[in-house]
Structure formats: C-alpha cells, structure tokens
Amino acid sequence: MVKQLALIGFKVILASRDPEMGHKAIQQLRESNLDVSFVSIDVNNQESIRQATVAINEKYGRLDVLINNAGVYLDENKQLMNMDPSILENTMATNFFGVYHMIRSFIPLMEKQGYGRIINVSSEYGAMSEMSYPGVGAYKMSKFALNGLTQLIAVEIKSDIKINAVDPGWVSTDMGDHLLQELPSKLLNLSCG
C-alpha cells in the first residue's frame, strides 16, 4: 500500500511498531525515489499513538488519509467459548481498540482541514453471515466489532471525512499465511459517511 500510494504522488508515512523493520522498509522504498517517511506507532499503546499524532502534526500539519492495517490472528481457528479469554482480549486490543484509538487521535487533524479518508482493513470473517459458523472466534469478533465501529463513526462525522472498511482478501503476510481460506477481495459496503 505504501509503495502504491507513493507511486501516485502521495507523501506517505509508514508506521510500524518495530522501528528497525520500519526503517528498513523505508530505505528500500526511497531507493526507488519514493517520497516516504517513517513514524513509530504501537497501536496497543495510546502514548505511542499520541506521540505519533504530535509528530505528524508538527511536521505536516495535516493528515489526508489514515489506513488502519494493523491486525493479529491469535486464535488458531478455536471456538470463542473454548479459548483462553486472553486470546480474545489481545485480539480485540489490536484489531478493534487499536483502530479506535488511532481514529480518535488522528481525526482531529482531518477535522481541522475539513477533509479526510479513513480506511479500516477488515475481513470477510467480520461479516454478519460469518457469525453462523464456528471457529476463528476472536478474529471474527474483532473484525465484526471493527465493521460496527466503521459504521458508527461514519454517522458521527460531520465534515468531508469518509470512512470505509475494506476486505483485501488473502494477502501474503505473516498473518495472511494463516488465513489462506479468505475469500476474494471485495469492499465491505459498511458506510460511505
């Protein structure tokens, strides 16, 4: 996503909780003459999010697009009632509350300019129809809650700020390799607030 956005002219800020990996990715992108920078953010740490918001505001004074892409898959296809509750808690901390805190922190930068786009990376597993099938309980709940959050925020926003959730389908990542059964890419028509 960073590369594709930079190729069409966006000034992109790559965020990662691992500064070493983030700087390595930025270096590779800059070798292709792409306008990218790095900020350290751990979505499970509100102070980290606050510091990143301050840094971006001081350097750029605005944020046009926020893509919430952080996610974890910890439940290994377990049923919700048969898993250790900490698996659900940790999954919700990243996949739902991390997004919630990112939006709360960054939306003021969009509101001050009256414009912004927020994209929450969701999953087919977050669809209501998926709740009829057992397994992947924590992940399903987190994405279901994320979809609800997307809809609720869309009706609360009063300026030209749009928020959507997207299901990219299977993506080759550390987490994606566990989710090979994901359905093909499609936009979840949750809201276009």
Side-chain angles (χ1 to χ4, degrees), residues 7 12 18 27 89 94 119 150 172:
L7 284 170
V12 182
D18 182 335
Q27 184 59 37
E89 291 165 2
T94 298
I119 301 164
T150 303
S172 182

Side-chain angles (χ1 to χ4, degrees), residues 82-108:
N82 295 331
M83 70 177 65
D84 184 316
S86 68
I87 294 172
L88 176 60
E89 291 165 2
N90 291 332
T91 301
M92 292 297 287
T94 298
N95 296 2
F96 174 75
F97 284 107
V99 173
Y100 171 76
H101 292 301
M102 288 289 291
I103 293 170
R104 278 199 57 171
S105 294
F106 283 101
I107 206 163

Side-chain angles (χ1 to χ4, degrees), residues 3-192:
K3 183 177 182 179
Q4 294 302 313
L5 289 170
L7 284 170
I8 61 172
F10 278 82
K11 287 185 177 184
V12 182
I13 305 163
L14 180 142
S16 173
R17 68 177 177 242
D18 182 335
E20 185 178 327
M21 287 180 65
H23 286 295
K24 183 177 179 181
I26 291 300
Q27 184 59 37
Q28 290 173 348
L29 293 164
R30 285 183 180 159
E31 289 171 3
S32 298
N33 295 318
L34 297 175
D35 189 1
V36 294
S37 59
F38 172 77
V39 66
S40 179
I41 299 178
D42 180 347
V43 300
N44 291 323
N45 181 322
Q46 290 182 53
E47 179 59 20
S48 170
I49 296 170
R50 188 196 69 75
Q51 288 175 5
T53 305
V54 169
I56 290 169
N57 187 43
E58 287 176 356
K59 185 170 182 177
Y60 300 101
R62 64 187 291 162
L63 183 69
D64 297 325
V65 179
L66 173 65
I67 301 174
N68 289 304
N69 189 43
V72 295
Y73 175 77
L74 306 173
D75 45 322
E76 300 174 1
N77 202 27
K78 293 181 182 168
Q79 293 184 9
L80 195 60
M81 298 306 294
N82 295 331
M83 70 177 65
D84 184 316
S86 68
I87 294 172
L88 176 60
E89 291 165 2
N90 291 332
T91 301
M92 292 297 287
T94 298
N95 296 2
F96 174 75
F97 284 107
V99 173
Y100 171 76
H101 292 301
M102 288 289 291
I103 293 170
R104 278 199 57 171
S105 294
F106 283 101
I107 206 163
L109 294 179
M110 295 177 176
E111 289 174 332
K112 81 177 181 180
Q113 67 189 20
Y115 174 86
R117 301 295 182 256
I118 302 169
I119 301 164
N120 296 328
V121 177
S122 188
S123 168
E124 178 72 15
Y125 279 139
M128 179 62 85
S129 60
E130 287 295 317
M131 300 306 126
S132 299
Y133 303 100
V136 196
Y139 188 77
K140 284 181 180 178
M141 279 302 304
S142 70
K143 294 301 184 175
F144 181 73
L146 175 63
N147 294 344
L149 176 70
T150 303
Q151 289 182 300
L152 287 169
I153 292 173
V155 298
E156 291 180 1
I157 296 172
K158 302 297 181 205
S159 59
D160 187 20
I161 300 172
K162 309 277 187 232
I163 181 168
N164 289 280
V166 63
D167 168 23
W170 178 80
V171 178
S172 182
T173 64
D174 291 342
M175 183 179 74
D177 292 341
H178 295 291
L179 300 172
L180 290 175
Q181 65 270 29
E182 283 282 348
L183 298 177
S185 176
K186 65 180 166 180
L187 179 67
L188 297 176
N189 290 317
L190 299 172
S191 60
C192 294

